[in-house]
Amino acid sequence: MHDAAAPSRNFIQEIIDHDLETNRWGGRVHTRFPPEPNGYLHIGHAKSICLNYGLASQFKGLFNLRFDDTNPEKEEEEYVKSIIYDVGWLGAKWDDRLVFASDYFEKMYEFAVELIKKGKAYVCDLTPEQMSQYRGTATRPGRPSPNRDRGVDENLDLLARMRAGEFPDGSRTLRAKIDLASPNFNLRDPVMYRILHAEHHHARDKWCIYPMYDWAHGFEDSIEGITHSICTLEFENHRPLYDWFINVVNEGRTADGSGPWGKKIHHPQQIEFARLELTHTVMSKRKLLELVKGNHVKGWDDPRMPTISGLRRRGYTPESIRAFCADIGVAKFNSVIEIVRLENAIRDELNKTAPRRMAVLRPLKVVITNYPEGQTDQLDAVNNPEDASMGSRKVPFSRELYIERDDFREEPPKGYHRLAPGREIRFRWAFFIKCESFVKDPATGEVTELHCTYDPATRGGDAPDGRKVKATIHWVSAAHAIDAEVRLYDHLFSVPRPEDVADGVDYKTNLNANSLEVLPAAKLEPGLAGSSAGTRIQFERHGYFSVDPDSSAQRLVFNRTVSLRDTWAKVEKANAPK
RNA sequence: UGGGGAUUAGUGUAAUGGUAGCACAACUGACUCUGGAUCAGUUAGUCGGGGUUCGAGUCCCUGAUCCCCAGCCA
């Protein structure tokens, strides 16, 4: 309907377009990512980071990394460090704007005093249980606290003494005086401060009263001059409260600062979007923590985890995660993205960038009976057919080799193109090879060795007589191969929506028992020796792999990032008897 | 059952009163020294019911379904 070449914009970009046209913020765009340091970041946070940082860079604005650290009981320095690392790794830049909400506590306290003076806040002596009872229900309004009409001076004195540490945890709160009958519970005199004699990871022991998120958050954005406060859908109900707080502070304030209350403060615009959900995994910090604590995974950075650190260890690149986030879009609909979209993102990138190598994951020995003993041939192998500039390498060929067990079938099924008795196929970059016979372990019936012949005229992989083969398989020379451990990963959960369980059923029953398969004795081509942690390689015909930090000089460990598309596997699965 | 949001192919996402498009998935076929990659094609959609209009995914009315909210969590 419109210009087909114009890229479509999401609803937030359209809001910003409009704000820029109407000069709402003087041409400024300033966003932020405001994590609470109470856990590791996951792919859902990546969506928010890409959104916020992406908007700032598209509109030539600014981006802050701000810790929303208002609850010392759940927060830790370890999380602060991991978050800073992960956000930077994803590619967001905040220059000198790494900030902590806890650095604004003094300013927030001044605002609280101002609210009391304006008759808009009071110290409440109700216990948590009482407060809950007083709050009312969806159909019944709340009742006023007995302390709701305390005088300004008494409130001021009590708040000062709360701050001074005179009262025990939980004994009093500071509450906003709003509307006990509001259908929005957030406006039924919400708590602004609670007493918490706890050491804070950033503010240390400076405070024993801590602001509630709802009281603090709007001011954090206001203080930093954030223009577009982007958050997830569940905060939509809170927006009226943030607006109320800022409006009350601005009551009596003026643009030029004349008058008793001083200058008006900035009033950011909050915009809510749907958080990311992915199939075959869970995204709540609580559940991820549970998986870690319950040893269902090996830590926050287990390659099966949807955490940024897990994805990084799995072999994902920042570019692929950004591409994924750009691909899925931004809207207000609670959608569930198929996890193949994430997998496609890394596959697409690695297809272009990852060098190809041969690796036999489940080795089957092959003897080339007409190849001289003790002889070695160095064959040329292309490093990446997608990118000629990546050149080629030499790979040793000799009389005894390994191939994939799955590349031989004693009785090949219909449509199977690989090795079988009497069949000729190609060894990648090497020769045409024909299977003449095989050896079976009489006890187990397992095929233990193949006897094959090669055609010397096909060196390099093409037959001078023009004959064709239907398959090309990978191989490694037995004498030259290096050993490695290979870890194959599958979805953490075996069903698309693990949290969709009947009442009383734990979502963990949907954990995929086969999400990790360890192959202890893979054989790799020798050039892979000494690969450093993080190196990304395509093992031909298998997938993309990345060197795990568990690797040592003696023994490499590879993680499978993602498999190649395998249409034959799909056909076999479809043909398998149910 | 009070309030706040949402609903377009299997999954996402555009279309801002004027030809319902794109991506992923699925399925065909071509090509191929990775059963990879690539290329070409096919299937498939406006939550229901009314209304306004020359014309409705879009506006109005009405119903349904889903998500969020009664922490001194964020």
Side-chain angles (χ1 to χ4, degrees):
Chain A
M1 333 232 150
H2 284 274
D3 183 0
S8 66
R9 323 212 82 198
N10 64 51
F11 76 102
I12 300 179
Q13 290 169 315
E14 287 180 349
I15 289 170
I16 298 178
D17 286 342
H18 184 255
D19 289 346
L20 257 20
E21 278 164 25
T22 58
N23 200 34
R24 181 170 179 191
W25 307 108
R28 296 169 52 231
V29 172
H30 199 155
T31 61
R32 102 267 98 128
F33 174 61
E36 184 190 18
N38 67 344
Y40 282 71
L41 259 28
H42 55 61
I43 183 72
H45 296 108
K47 177 180 180 183
S48 175
I49 293 162
C50 291
L51 211 208
N52 279 291
Y53 179 69
L55 254 10
S57 38
Q58 286 158 43
F59 290 97
K60 307 208 183 331
L62 298 172
F63 169 83
N64 293 7
L65 173 56
R66 177 178 71 228
F67 285 97
D68 214 326
D69 54 349
T70 56
N71 185 357
E73 293 187 317
K74 289 188 174 173
E75 299 159 10
E76 290 176 27
E77 180 69 19
E78 178 196 351
Y79 297 134
V80 171
K81 286 181 177 155
S82 76
I83 289 169
I84 291 172
Y85 186 84
D86 286 349
V87 176
W89 181 78
L90 278 171
K93 294 184 177 53
W94 53 82
D95 302 319
D96 59 348
R97 292 179 307 280
L98 170 63
V99 288
F100 290 82
S102 52
D103 287 335
Y104 307 143
F105 283 178
E106 191 65 50
K107 187 73 196 167
M108 290 171 193
Y109 184 84
E110 287 169 20
F111 286 138
V113 168
E114 184 170 334
L115 253 64
I116 290 176
K117 288 178 178 166
K118 287 175 171 173
K120 301 292 191 181
Y122 60 97
V123 172
C124 176
D125 302 345
L126 254 25
T127 66
E129 297 71 32
Q130 288 172 321
M131 202 183 288
S132 175
Q133 286 160 7
Y134 273 67
R135 191 148 17 228
T137 67
T139 48
R140 207 155 24 85
R143 288 146 44 211
S145 157
N147 313 299
R148 198 168 194 257
D149 292 316
R150 262 212 260 250
V152 168
D153 290 341
E154 188 186 356
N155 279 320
L156 252 18
D157 173 63
L158 252 13
L159 178 64
R161 291 164 62 194
M162 280 168 63
R163 176 177 182 172
E166 286 188 31
F167 309 117
D169 286 3
S171 59
R172 292 175 207 270
T173 56
L174 182 71
R175 290 226 259 166
K177 194 191 277 193
I178 309 181
D179 178 7
L180 271 342
S182 173
N184 182 344
F185 284 99
N186 296 125
L187 301 177
R188 316 248 269 222
D189 285 16
V191 172
M192 295 160 61
Y193 280 93
R194 74 279 218 190
I195 300 172
L196 235 43
H197 291 267
E199 165 103 0
H200 187 281
H201 60 93
H202 185 74
R204 298 299 158 195
D205 59 359
K206 189 172 177 206
W207 295 88
C208 62
I209 57 172
Y210 287 92
M212 297 293 291
Y213 173 88
D214 279 346
W215 165 245
H217 196 81
F219 292 117
E220 297 164 21
D221 287 334
S222 174
I223 289 165
E224 293 171 24
I226 299 301
T227 53
H228 303 271
S229 303
I230 297 166
C231 64
T232 43
L233 258 21
E234 69 270 30
F235 294 105
E236 217 150 12
N237 290 331
H238 299 238
R239 179 155 31 92
L241 177 55
Y242 307 150
D243 290 340
W244 187 90
F245 280 138
I246 301 249
N247 288 335
V248 167
V249 166
N250 275 336
E251 263 175 37
R253 291 179 180 245
T254 53
D256 62 3
S258 61
W261 301 106
K263 245 178 140 158
K264 276 197 191 300
I265 63 170
H266 174 66
H267 192 154
Q269 173 182 13
Q270 174 165 297
I271 304 167
E272 305 86 7
F273 73 100
R275 57 154 31 99
L276 171 65
E277 283 190 72
L278 272 183
T279 62
H280 301 279
T281 191
V282 293
M283 212 68 94
S284 90
K285 281 187 193 173
R286 201 203 95 233
K287 284 177 178 148
L288 294 176
L289 179 64
E290 189 182 357
L291 295 176
V292 172
K293 290 259 153 78
N295 292 317
H296 296 99
V297 294
K298 291 170 185 167
W300 285 100
D301 70 342
D302 186 298
R304 292 167 291 184
M305 291 281 273
T307 51
I308 305 298
S309 50
L311 292 168
R312 180 167 54 236
R313 186 164 181 180
R314 177 83 171 245
Y316 277 77
T317 60
E319 293 78 7
S320 66
I321 293 174
R322 278 188 250 127
F324 167 74
C325 291
D327 186 42
I328 58 175
V330 178
K332 296 193 72 155
F333 178 63
N334 274 308
S335 58
V336 182
I337 306 288
E338 293 171 333
I339 201 165
V340 295
R341 300 279 289 268
L342 217 209
E343 296 166 351
N344 284 341
I346 188 62
R347 221 175 342 229
D348 282 353
E349 181 185 338
L350 262 17
N351 176 45
K352 298 183 193 88
T353 60
R356 270 113 251 219
R357 294 292 183 267
M358 293 195 283
V360 174
L361 269 29
R362 299 174 177 87
L364 171 62
K365 193 170 183 182
V366 173
V367 179
I368 309 294
T369 53
N370 60 339
Y371 194 88
E373 282 189 58
Q375 186 173 312
T376 300
D377 195 353
Q378 296 289 340
L379 297 158
D380 287 311
V382 170
N383 285 332
N384 188 344
E386 302 289 316
D387 182 359
S389 75
M390 291 174 77
S392 64
R393 67 190 185 280
K394 297 285 187 190
V395 187
F397 182 91
S398 64
R399 190 171 199 267
E400 295 194 354
L401 310 132
Y402 293 111
I403 65 165
E404 215 62 61
R405 298 204 73 86
D406 197 41
D407 284 341
F408 171 79
R409 298 288 173 87
E410 184 180 347
E411 292 171 25
K414 191 167 181 293
Y416 186 85
H417 296 158
R418 286 111 92 164
L419 223 43
R423 286 258 188 102
E424 184 177 58
I425 52 94
R426 174 168 39 229
F427 273 24
R428 185 117 160 117
W429 312 121
F431 301 94
F432 281 17
I433 303 286
K434 189 174 179 186
C435 177
E436 307 290 353
S437 64
F438 59 93
V439 180
K440 236 178 173 175
D441 180 330
T444 64
E446 188 186 38
V447 175
T448 55
E449 197 172 296
L450 262 36
H451 292 333
C452 300
T453 53
Y454 84 117
D455 177 355
T458 58
R459 186 175 190 277
D462 289 303
D465 63 4
R467 75 183 192 277
K468 299 285 183 194
V469 288
K470 288 190 116 168
T472 300
I473 68 170
H474 61 277
W475 51 274
V476 294
S477 166
H480 303 86
I482 59 169
D483 293 319
E485 175 178 322
V486 173
R487 298 173 183 169
L488 265 24
Y489 299 103
D490 195 357
H491 300 146
L492 226 201
F493 290 88
S494 54
V495 297
R497 303 194 187 203
E499 286 151 305
D500 276 4
V501 283
D503 272 354
V505 177
D506 193 301
Y507 73 97
K508 293 196 294 302
T509 57
N510 286 323
L511 243 8
N512 178 5
N514 304 312
S515 60
L516 168 62
E517 183 182 2
V518 177
L519 270 17
K523 301 288 186 182
L524 316 183
E525 63 171 79
L528 250 8
S531 299
S532 54
T535 302
R536 298 181 183 91
I537 299 285
Q538 184 195 104
F539 289 168
E540 293 226 29
R541 302 208 301 131
H542 283 300
Y544 299 96
F545 292 74
S546 144
V547 179
D548 191 86
D550 283 351
S551 299
S552 65
Q554 291 74 37
R555 184 180 177 75
L556 286 173
V557 177
F558 278 88
N559 293 318
R560 184 173 67 193
T561 308
V562 67
S563 66
L564 251 22
R565 287 197 182 86
D566 188 347
T567 51
W568 169 248
K570 214 154 64 176
V571 169
E572 272 205 311
K573 200 176 172 188
N575 291 343
K578 291 269 164 93

